[in-house]
Amino acid sequence: TIFTNSGEEIQTLIENLYDAMGTKDSGTTYEGFRTGMADYVGSHGYTFQSTEFGTDHAGVRSWIDNEKPVAIFLLNGFHLIGDGEIVDNGTYDRYTIHNFSGNHVVLAFGYRTITYYNADGTVKENHRLYRVYTGVFEMEFGYIDIDRSLTFGGMLGVNVV
């Protein structure tokens, strides 16, 4: 599934949600997101449904497998890996990691795991990645690596019916 952020309608939607969620320069709160989405969606004749995942990453993957996005709230700084910025060089991978300050919300719609092994075949490390719409204009899509230092302020499965 690929989402797009183009056109006047999408920009208007973003601005309306920004207002409905009570977004400030510091971002949108978890509760502001939930109530703002419910109010906005309700005002257009639909119902906003959500499922809280806490730290249940298996639940998040299951939700995504059912083609539903998950809002992930990142606190106290975050990093993103842009599309095409995980390069397999044969014997090692090179990631370009972009670090940001502040709080942020990304929308996850895919996932992948990259596993590295020792010479004896034992697992050296795993990197569990969520494919996200970043909300960062210079990098529309990318990944967050949940095995790096991220502080989650919540993970919320979203559905509009």
Side-chain angles (χ1 to χ4, degrees):
T1 303
I2 296 178
F3 301 93
T4 184
N5 183 22
S6 60
E8 185 177 327
E9 298 86 4
I10 298 299
Q11 189 57 43
T12 300
L13 171 65
I14 290 169
E15 291 168 5
N16 290 338
L17 287 172
Y18 185 96
D19 292 338
M21 293 177 185
T23 305
K24 309 285 185 232
D25 288 341
S26 59
T28 298
T29 65
Y30 186 82
E31 192 54 37
F33 179 90
R34 284 177 13 130
T35 59
M37 280 293 290
D39 291 347
Y40 179 82
V41 168
S43 73
H44 288 80
Y46 296 94
T47 302
F48 176 70
Q49 300 173 333
S50 63
T51 298
E52 295 188 32
F53 291 107
T55 59
D56 177 14
H57 293 287
V60 168
R61 289 188 303 272
S62 176
W63 192 264
I64 290 170
D65 286 343
N66 286 305
E67 299 184 358
K68 296 177 185 168
V70 177
I72 299 177
F73 296 78
L74 306 171
L75 304 176
N76 307 319
F78 60 99
H79 66 270
L80 297 170
I81 303 166
D83 270 351
E85 293 183 343
I86 302 173
V87 179
D88 180 349
N89 287 317
T91 57
Y92 67 93
D93 290 338
R94 186 184 78 231
Y95 294 17
T96 303
I97 298 173
H98 305 270
N99 293 302
F100 298 87
S101 60
N103 301 330
H104 192 59
V105 179
V106 295
L107 194 63
F109 60 92
Y111 60 89
R112 72 186 274 195
T113 301
I114 300 173
T115 304
Y116 297 101
Y117 297 91
N118 293 312
D120 66 1
T122 59
V123 173
K124 180 177 182 179
E125 59 185 270
N126 283 310
H127 291 270
R128 295 175 297 161
L129 308 170
Y130 285 128
R131 177 123 165 87
V132 297
Y133 173 76
T134 68
V136 175
F137 292 110
E138 304 83 34
M139 182 189 317
E140 192 170 11
F141 300 104
Y143 295 90
I144 59 171
D145 184 341
I146 65 173
D147 293 307
R148 294 191 184 266
S149 57
L150 288 176
T151 303
F152 292 96
M155 296 188 295
L156 187 69
V158 296
N159 190 32
V160 176
V161 292

